[in-house]
Amino acid sequence: MIHLPEGPVRRLVGALHRRPYLAFAVAIALSAVMLQAGRSITLKSKIRDLLPESAPSVQAMQVLQERLGSADILVVALMSDDFEKVKPVLPQLAAALEAHPDINEVIYKQDVDLIDRNALTIFPTVEELEDYYEELTETIKAEVKKRMVLLDDDDEEDDERAPGEYAEYTFSWAEHEKDDGLSNLGRTFRRERGAYREYFYNRAYTTIGLEVYPTKSSGDLEFARQILDVVDTITHETLGELLGSVGPGATVSRVVLGGGYRNVLQESDQIKDDIASSVGWSFGLLALVVILWFRSIRAFFCVLLPLAMGVSWTVGLVALTVGYLNLITAFIFAVLLGLGIDFGIHFYGRYREERAAGHDVVEAVVQTWLSCGEASVLAAITTSAAFLALTIADFRGFSQFGGVAAGGVLLCLLAVFWVFTSLVFIFERWVPLKLMGYSVDRTVDAGIARKRFPLGAKLVVVAALVGIAGYVSASQIEFEMDFNRLGAKEKEKHEFQEITQGTTQATSPAVIFADSAEEARSLYDQLEQRTAENPEHPRIKSYEALFALIPEQQKEKARWVKKICRKLKRKVKLFEGDPRDGADELLTHCDPVEFTVDDLPAWVKGRFSDKSGKLGEFIFVSPRGSTNDGEVALAFRDEMLSLKGLDGEPPVVSGKPMIWADVLIAMKTDGLKTTVASLLTVVLLLFFFERSLGGTLLILLPLTMALGLTGGVMAIFGIKLTFFNMLALPTIIGMGVDDGVHLYHRHKELGADSAGYVVKTTGMAAVLTTITTSIGFGSLLLANHYGLNGLGLLSMIGMAAALLVTLLVLPAAMQWADDRARQG
């Protein structure tokens, strides 16, 4: 086992006793420096930031950035009751915005003349046009027949047809549609034509908008905040000059900014609020528990100040190494408060015990270092090793959390040795410790009242059977595949999101990249073949390429359009109401012309051109089903990887489903790998330091049983594994070993039949450390995030199970070992 050499310990304690103020001042100065360094830490809140650079989806995102640039849009929505007054000033507003060096482009209008003129050759198929012509002919015949009947009958009769019968025959906006040629044509037109808008109105038709494309992505939070201020200022100044001030009753009553830049800032601010809330609640509850438990304000300073400094040093460590926090590590400091406080609690509890046993101040600290310090070093090493094992994962959500937690635990222990000791000596100089009625049943020479622990072998056997049952039932645990249950909690949309909704395209399809237009056509043909075989393809919903925007059979379509228009023009007066509106709309598209890619509007070609100006070398494709469904993401990924480029290799595909799929794959592979690595690392370290198989098994007892009990609870209550709550496993491994180490070493120090005394002293410290660690993880329940809530909940379940075994089963096992030793 670990032994701290008594000579150096006494010299270090003596040095701190002689200059406690200097030692404490140096610790404060170091904390200030580290916190200042921490100001440079940035926050990366996107899921893709949890993946390694080598992940295929991350590399695909880099290809997207290189070839297409940032897809982020800043939306400027102008609220007005008179859009006709606003439209003439949009060009000047766009020019004013584009004049700023941080803005690449501003779009306020899309040229749709070509699309409108050729709508009936672009959107419908030849078959749909043929069906419509036949339906139109039949409809006209029926209407003519009706009119003839009315002329022959002098008596007015009620129309026997149900209301709205003719409404089914509308071209573009009837609600009563059937599966007929005209209705199919109308549905096709509305669905396809809706993607080509002249102006950007929101869904409620209360605002008209502009799309602003800044020079940097929304991932740069400082830039995002700056560009929002810049755009808001320019917009208000320009509108003030052209239309008068913005405000109630004015032409523009309000300017609302939205889009990706506003959304990412909102998410960042929400995470920062959650961090502040979790850290604040965690620290406050920890302080309250420590004060009430020890009934001492002194305990608050001696336990919490070293903890705060240890955490501040960890902040500096993150700044000097990783440099940023991701969605998971952002909350490590609240967790670290719960993990790091254990050392201070054990030290303060042991120091108070040594003082109650009759030692003077210096000797009490020396004995605390030699006994509790040795166990704490071993516990810190094993706990850090459990977290450090996570760094072998490629998934950054695991590796960075493990590295920061491992370093933080060791720094918190260092702060206890250094700062705790200094504070004890400072307090003793001013206000000597008063035990307030606290006493222990032991003397300076470690004499205690020995009594058998009432539970023994039978409890160990029963507990072992329960643990085995838990491991067996754990096979029923499933992975969470619904990413809606892992992200931010659904709340009412922010006002700016409600106002700007519908201004821009809501969906972000995946992008298939080709190395040439020829390869893009080959990939498109493969998609066409798959969907032709199954129109309701289970994995592919839609896809779009530049060359596909040029309709086939243009001459044939134009012939049918002219036939339809000739017939409709002659009989249009037969229609009334909705049918007449639809007919009039159709007649505005009766003069199509044949066109090519070169004739397409600039904004359409721009959508399909890369940064170098190459046209048509990528395809937009959308999966069928929710992109937040893990099964959909995995199936879509497999479908995309089954495509073949001209070189026989799968193309590069970038998009949200690909990222989710990589996250799931990493979670399954790295989750198992890191859990096994954590467990093996801890077992090997324990055996190396203890050099005793029996001692190692006793220390591991709370851990092994806690894992089994946790698995059983998860199976019973249907708790699924996620890449968030999987981080609870190394925590349970570290904490389960931590309490086991302290109780076993205390029992070994005191000898046979001391299990009962150990539970009353060290065991109560274990209760307190479990409560405080649970507070640290429990603070995650306050986060506005399902995944972090799950991590906090599962960690608390695991630690409660470990504490139960530590207080009941471990002492029983130690008593059983004492009994067997006497018998042998």
Side-chain angles (χ1 to χ4, degrees):
M1 63 173 289
I2 293 178
H3 289 286
L4 297 181
E6 185 173 348
V9 165
R10 290 189 177 278
R11 286 193 291 273
L12 280 173
V13 171
L16 291 172
H17 180 249
R18 289 190 297 273
R19 294 183 176 83
Y21 293 105
L22 176 61
F24 185 65
V26 171
I28 290 179
L30 177 60
S31 300
V33 171
M34 290 299 201
L35 288 174
Q36 181 62 31
R39 292 172 61 88
S40 65
I41 296 176
T42 57
L43 177 64
K44 297 183 178 181
S45 59
K46 296 183 178 180
I47 292 295
R48 67 170 177 258
D49 296 320
L50 301 177
L51 291 168
E53 294 292 335
S54 59
S57 60
V58 175
Q59 293 183 340
M61 287 297 294
Q62 292 173 347
V63 171
L64 185 147
Q65 291 287 335
E66 292 169 1
R67 294 186 60 173
L68 302 185
S70 174
D72 294 329
I73 301 174
L74 196 163
V75 176
V76 180
L78 310 179
M79 188 173 289
S80 176
D81 293 329
D82 191 347
F83 292 145
E84 295 308 314
K85 285 187 178 179
V86 177
K87 288 178 183 178
V89 307
L90 292 180
Q92 294 161 279
L93 176 57
L97 290 169
E98 285 183 339
H100 194 278
D102 289 332
I103 296 176
N104 274 330
E105 182 183 14
V106 178
I107 300 176
Y108 67 91
K109 183 181 179 181
Q110 298 180 147
D111 179 7
V112 294
D113 290 342
L114 178 73
I115 296 167
D116 274 341
R117 181 175 185 179
N118 296 281
L120 289 177
T121 59
I122 293 175
F123 304 122
T125 64
V126 171
E127 290 75 17
E128 285 177 318
L129 291 172
E130 291 177 359
D131 287 346
Y132 172 59
Y133 183 80
E134 294 176 3
E135 291 288 345
L136 177 62
T137 302
E138 294 300 320
T139 302
I140 291 174
K141 287 180 180 179
E143 193 65 29
V144 170
K145 183 177 181 181
K146 172 191 170 187
R147 297 294 178 94
M148 294 299 293
V149 170
L150 290 174
L151 289 173
D152 292 340
D153 194 344
D154 293 333
D155 298 326
E156 293 186 4
E157 297 181 0
D158 292 336
D159 193 345
E160 297 178 355
R161 285 168 290 193
E165 179 177 340
Y166 293 117
E168 69 188 44
Y169 299 112
T170 70
F171 175 63
S172 64
W173 35 76
E175 296 297 329
H176 306 283
E177 292 185 342
K178 294 183 178 180
D179 188 19
D180 54 52
L182 182 53
S183 296
N184 290 334
L185 184 65
R187 278 191 289 267
T188 299
F189 186 88
R190 289 196 302 279
R191 181 179 64 249
E192 304 294 340
R193 177 63 178 83
Y196 302 93
R197 300 181 294 172
E198 185 175 14
Y199 288 97
F200 304 114
Y201 302 107
N202 67 351
R203 183 169 297 177
Y205 202 67
T206 58
T207 67
I208 187 169
L210 301 89
E211 292 183 349
V212 179
Y213 294 85
T215 56
K216 297 181 182 179
S217 76
S218 62
D220 187 334
L221 296 181
E222 184 177 348
F223 175 80
R225 199 176 300 278
Q226 172 190 332
I227 199 66
L228 282 171
D229 291 339
V230 166
V231 169
D232 186 65
T233 300
I234 294 176
T235 301
H236 276 85
E237 290 178 351
T238 305
L239 291 176
E241 294 173 2
L242 300 174
L243 294 175
S245 61
V246 175
T251 303
V252 176
S253 59
R254 189 175 175 188
V255 175
V256 180
L257 303 185
Y261 291 83
R262 183 79 182 270
N263 290 335
V264 76
L265 279 181
Q266 189 67 43
E267 292 172 4
S268 173
D269 291 342
Q270 180 64 63
I271 291 175
K272 291 178 180 177
D273 289 343
D274 285 344
I275 293 173
S277 175
S278 59
V279 170
W281 276 102
S282 182
F283 193 84
L285 288 175
L286 289 174
L288 181 63
V289 169
V290 168
I291 292 171
L292 293 178
W293 187 275
F294 290 111
R295 292 181 294 174
S296 169
I297 298 296
R298 181 196 306 256
F300 166 81
F301 291 102
C302 290
V303 174
L304 271 299
L305 278 183
L307 173 64
M309 291 190 186
V311 172
S312 69
W313 300 348
T314 307
V315 171
L317 177 67
V318 172
L320 297 174
T321 54
V322 182
Y324 71 92
L325 297 172
N326 59 44
L327 183 59
I328 298 177
T329 54
F331 293 84
I332 186 62
F333 304 113
V335 172
L336 199 56
L337 288 174
L339 290 172
I341 198 173
D342 294 1
F343 306 120
I345 288 172
H346 280 294
F347 266 63
Y348 189 83
R350 186 57 185 270
Y351 171 74
R352 190 175 63 157
E353 181 183 337
E354 294 297 334
R355 293 284 282 135
H359 286 301
D360 62 26
V361 175
V362 175
E363 188 60 28
V365 172
V366 169
Q367 293 302 318
T368 298
W369 276 46
L370 291 174
S371 54
C372 185
E374 291 177 349
S376 294
V377 169
L378 179 56
I381 290 174
T382 53
T383 301
S384 296
F387 283 115
L388 201 60
L390 294 176
T391 59
I392 67 173
D394 293 325
F395 186 57
R396 289 180 177 178
F398 292 164
S399 59
Q400 289 186 4
F401 184 92
V404 174
V409 167
L410 294 176
L411 289 174
C412 286
L413 177 61
L414 174 62
V416 168
F417 277 113
W418 177 355
V419 182
F420 169 84
T421 304
S422 301
L423 284 170
V424 164
F425 290 144
I426 291 172
F427 270 109
E428 291 289 358
R429 290 190 180 189
W430 290 89
V431 184
L433 178 65
K434 296 180 181 179
L435 298 174
M436 306 289 290
Y438 174 76
S439 62
V440 292
D441 296 330
R442 55 164 284 210
T443 59
V444 174
D445 59 359
I448 63 170
R450 300 181 185 275
K451 184 180 180 181
R452 289 189 77 259
F453 191 74
L455 303 172
K458 291 182 179 179
L459 176 61
V460 175
V461 172
V462 171
L465 293 175
V466 172
I468 293 172
Y471 279 107
V472 172
S473 63
S475 61
Q476 303 174 17
I477 299 174
E478 300 177 350
F479 285 97
E480 180 58 74
M481 303 295 283
D482 184 357
F483 289 106
N484 287 317
R485 298 179 181 273
L486 299 181
K489 295 179 180 177
E490 288 294 333
K491 291 186 175 181
E492 292 185 3
K493 289 186 177 180
H494 296 281
E495 185 188 23
F496 78 88
Q497 293 172 327
E498 291 283 359
I499 292 174
T500 60
Q501 186 176 14
T503 305
T504 58
Q505 186 176 0
T507 58
S508 298
V511 184
I512 303 175
F513 290 98
D515 292 329
S516 64
E518 180 185 4
E519 185 174 64
R521 186 172 289 276
S522 171
L523 294 167
Y524 188 88
D525 290 342
Q526 293 176 51
L527 294 172
E528 286 274 82
Q529 181 179 358
R530 297 180 188 193
T531 53
E533 296 170 354
N534 183 3
E536 293 295 320
H537 196 281
R539 292 173 289 279
I540 301 173
K541 179 181 179 181
S542 62
Y543 45 92
E544 188 179 11
L546 177 66
F547 48 81
L549 297 179
I550 307 303
E552 298 179 349
Q553 299 178 287
Q554 290 189 56
K555 290 182 179 180
E556 179 67 10
K557 287 183 177 181
R559 186 175 70 83
W560 280 104
V561 169
K562 292 184 182 300
K563 289 180 65 175
I564 291 168
C565 289
R566 281 197 302 269
K567 184 177 287 291
L568 193 59
K569 283 179 181 177
R570 293 196 302 266
K571 304 295 183 180
V572 69
K573 293 182 179 180
L574 293 173
F575 297 92
E576 296 177 354
D578 278 345
R580 178 60 181 266
D581 291 339
D584 290 339
E585 170 66 18
L586 188 150
L587 290 173
T588 64
H589 306 285
C590 287
D591 189 26
V593 294
E594 194 169 356
F595 63 95
T596 65
V597 169
D598 292 337
D599 300 315
L600 290 172
W603 66 270
V604 175
K605 290 188 285 188
R607 184 165 177 254
F608 288 93
S609 63
D610 60 20
K611 293 168 72 174
S612 65
K614 293 181 180 178
L615 276 171
E617 294 189 0
F618 49 87
I619 302 168
F620 295 113
V621 57
S622 298
R624 186 173 298 281
S626 172
T627 55
N628 288 321
D629 186 326
E631 293 181 355
V632 169
L634 288 171
F636 182 75
R637 174 183 180 274
D638 292 341
E639 187 73 33
M640 293 298 100
L641 292 180
S642 68
L643 297 172
K644 301 298 180 184
L646 296 180
D647 60 357
E649 296 296 322
V652 173
V653 183
S654 176
K656 183 179 178 180
M658 310 301 285
I659 292 174
W660 279 127
D662 278 355
V663 167
L664 276 174
I665 293 170
M667 180 179 73
K668 292 181 178 180
T669 55
D670 285 346
L672 177 62
K673 179 172 65 176
T674 54
T675 300
V676 172
S678 293
L679 194 56
L680 285 177
T681 301
V682 168
V683 170
L684 292 174
L685 279 173
L686 284 174
F687 186 75
F688 174 78
F689 288 120
E690 294 297 332
R691 305 299 174 88
S692 166
L693 180 60
T696 302
L697 292 176
L698 282 173
I699 294 173
L700 288 173
L701 183 60
L703 165 61
T704 53
M705 291 201 61
L707 290 175
L709 291 174
T710 302
V713 170
M714 292 180 68
I716 292 171
F717 291 98
I719 300 175
K720 297 181 180 181
L721 277 176
T722 72
F723 60 85
F724 286 97
N725 66 19
M726 288 183 77
L727 291 170
L729 298 179
T731 302
I732 297 170
I733 291 172
M735 293 305 301
V737 167
D738 191 352
D739 289 337
V741 165
H742 281 285
L743 264 71
Y744 171 76
H745 277 248
R746 190 69 168 127
H747 174 265
K748 187 174 181 180
E749 175 189 342
L750 297 175
D753 296 331
S754 63
Y757 178 84
V758 171
V759 171
K760 291 179 181 179
T761 53
T762 307
M764 291 302 99
V767 171
L768 182 55
T769 58
T770 300
I771 292 174
T772 53
T773 304
S774 296
I775 288 174
F777 278 97
S779 65
L780 298 181
L781 296 176
L782 302 175
N784 183 43
H785 199 281
Y786 288 118
L788 294 170
N789 297 160
L791 170 58
L793 177 62
L794 189 58
S795 298
M796 293 173 69
I797 291 172
M799 287 183 290
L803 178 64
L804 181 65
V805 178
T806 299
L807 296 182
L808 295 177
V809 184
L810 179 57
M814 292 190 296
Q815 186 62 60
W816 187 13
D818 291 342
D819 294 342
R820 288 176 59 85
R822 278 194 295 269
Q823 293 172 3

